[in-house]
């Protein structure tokens, strides 16, 4: 009968690991779809673009949502992001040690009302 508590403990630990992994995956996403409305849109070269301040704010909030995902960042700055699939820009920030970071951002798809983009953790 000594095996039963061991099995129950093993199952409980496995469940905690699965839930923790799922939570980490959900929070750590680097893809975002943002609406292009009056408050988020600027014009770059005659085309709609997502304001750099919106991009910087979203990356800042998602870059390090949990201690084991990415590191702390500060002074996040991004250029405006043209709403054209394939466009790539680089945002800049400082890590927890004050070193400069270049964070790549890519537009995955765009239409008249929204832009879907992702960033990379460095």
């Amino acid at each position: 009968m000594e095996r039963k508590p061991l099995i129950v403990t093993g199952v409980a630990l496995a469940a905690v690991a699965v839930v923790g992994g799922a939570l980490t995956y959900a929070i750590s996403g680097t893809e975002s779809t943002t609406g292009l409305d009056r408050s988020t849109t600027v014009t770059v070269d005659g085309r709609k673009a997502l304001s750099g301040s919106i991009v910087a704010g979203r990356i800042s909030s998602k870059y390090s949502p949990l201690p084991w995902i990415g590191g702390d960042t500060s002074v996040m700055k991004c250029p405006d992001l043209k709403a054209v699939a394939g466009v790539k820009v680089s945002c800049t920030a400082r890590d927890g040690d004050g070193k400069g970071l270049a964070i790549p951002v890519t537009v995955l798809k765009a239409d008249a009302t929204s832009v879907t983009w992702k960033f990379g953790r460095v």
Side-chain angles (χ1 to χ4, degrees):
M1 293 293 162
E2 293 177 24
R3 294 177 83 186
K4 191 171 184 175
L6 199 56
I7 291 172
V8 170
T9 301
V11 170
L13 288 174
V16 168
V18 168
V19 170
L23 178 63
T24 298
Y25 179 77
I27 292 177
S28 68
T30 60
E31 188 174 306
S32 181
T33 299
T34 308
L36 295 171
D37 57 31
R38 251 187 268 174
S39 64
T40 62
T41 306
V42 297
T43 302
V44 175
D45 299 331
R47 294 186 170 253
K48 283 186 176 183
L50 187 59
S51 168
S53 62
I54 300 294
V55 176
R58 184 68 53 88
I59 292 172
S60 291
S61 70
K62 296 185 78 138
Y63 195 82
S64 181
L66 297 169
W68 55 91
I69 303 171
D72 289 335
T73 60
S74 62
V75 195
M76 181 74 66
K77 294 182 183 177
C78 296
D80 297 330
L81 185 61
K82 277 189 200 178
V84 176
V87 165
K88 295 180 180 190
V89 299
S90 186
C91 296
T92 59
R94 298 263 175 221
D95 69 8
D97 296 328
K99 292 185 217 171
L101 297 174
I103 300 167
V105 179
T106 304
V107 175
L108 302 175
K109 65 181 180 176
D111 59 33
T113 60
S114 67
V115 59
T116 300
W117 55 278
K118 70 175 183 174
F119 68 90
R121 287 192 177 86
V122 289

